[in-house]
Amino acid sequence: MNPELSWLPSWLTFGLMALPAAFALGWLASRLDWRQLRLEDRRNPRAYFRGLNFLLNEQQDQAIDAFIEAVQNDPDTSELHFALGNLFRRRGDYERAVRVHQHLLSRGDLSETEHQRAQHALALDYLKAGLLDHAENALLKLEGTPFQTQARLARLANYERARDWPQAAAIARSLDGVQDKTAGSGSGMQLAGSFAPRLAHYLCEQAAERLASRDVEGAQDLLRRAIQTAPQAPRPRIELARLQMQRGQAAETETARVDAARQACETLSAALDTSPAAAPLIAAPLVKAAQACGKETSVQARLQALYEQAPSLDLLEALISLHAPVPDPTQAGAPSSKDLRAWYLHHLRHEPSLAAASKWLAGEKLEHEDQHPLVQRALDRAAQPLLRYRCAACGFEAKQHFWQCPGCQSWDSYPARRVEEL
């Protein structure tokens, strides 16, 4: 033994001699752990970034394979599970997406935030798969969470799809004026617009169901409630006026028929006051009501003023059906020509309309009159697509105007004007 250490206690001497060995073993263990970590880090990011690259190149199948590999290498990473589940859903493999998100929900080490996120993802899986009952149960579990607003919007879409208008109305009222805390910053974002117009649509849909059951009084009450709910919405007044005209046509006396037409005329005139942009939709039923109660002159003046402000094909046809004289272009507002076809030329001075040109040409004498039907048929065919209505949300076109798009289910997404006028 070293004489310099002989005076130390034996246990301390042993400890000092063992210290270098312990240091060496620790250093060796750290090198092995570091090497293993480097190996895992090298393996996991490679699979992850390979999957990300496939995603950027829109190769979803290859991306899924890469993320599956990454999940197998690190099964505790929740973000990879979320990415994999979302990919399954986007590809339409809803069963596997459900399994991924159910696995996340079954994990006990998941934080509350991630648990809520997994619950929301599972609800989206059920929605996309069309399993509405399962989706409803999953969405209800998101009440009181940051995903509450998104869950209620999804439930609202479910109720609309099922045409459960009372339930849809209850959800819409709960959403009116709330903030979506899952969008943007922590303070949340205000949901766009008011739900009052949509609530009015729900009442109109219920009124249509009452009419199908021959409950005319109930339908009328619902339409009046819709007008009170959304005074600026044109649909309730248009529907109410149609109902008033139907009741008038079923009346037994001429006086009752005229009174009903007068009520419809007043209802539609109020619709013009509150919703002038909807004038192309209001014009035709307003003309019909005016002709039934003898108010053609006042309605003609009203429609002509609206037409001069914003020319429209439907307003043009309404004026022609009222036999309105064409204003003299040299003297604004002064009626001159009684040739109703001259209205089409007057319209062409304001709008380069193929539909108006086709209708004007239909009554015109051509040099080669025997070829006129061929030319007319070609023009009419070319003008037909321009007379459709187009959804501003998804571009779905239809021959008739819809309050709810059949394609994307958006409300009030169809402008009152036709494709040619957009």
Side-chain angles (χ1 to χ4, degrees), residues 159-181:
Y159 292 137
E160 289 182 355
R161 193 184 311 177
R163 304 187 67 80
D164 189 344
W165 306 118
Q167 288 275 33
I171 294 294
R173 282 191 289 269
S174 72
L175 287 168
D176 208 2
V178 304
Q179 288 185 336
D180 183 4
K181 294 183 180 180

Side-chain angles (χ1 to χ4, degrees), residues 248-325:
Q249 292 169 358
E252 297 181 355
T253 65
E254 181 65 22
T255 302
R257 287 193 287 271
V258 171
D259 287 343
R262 186 179 297 110
Q263 291 176 3
C265 196
E266 291 172 356
T267 300
L268 291 169
S269 296
L272 283 180
D273 293 335
T274 58
S275 310
L281 301 176
I282 299 169
L286 179 57
V287 166
K288 186 176 180 180
Q291 290 173 334
C293 67
K295 289 192 172 183
E296 294 95 333
T297 303
S298 60
V299 167
Q300 174 188 316
R302 182 78 181 276
L303 293 180
Q304 193 155 340
L306 287 170
Y307 175 85
E308 294 302 328
Q309 293 173 7
S312 162
L313 289 170
D314 291 286
L315 286 174
L316 174 68
E317 294 293 342
L319 287 167
I320 291 174
S321 66
L322 282 170
H323 310 297

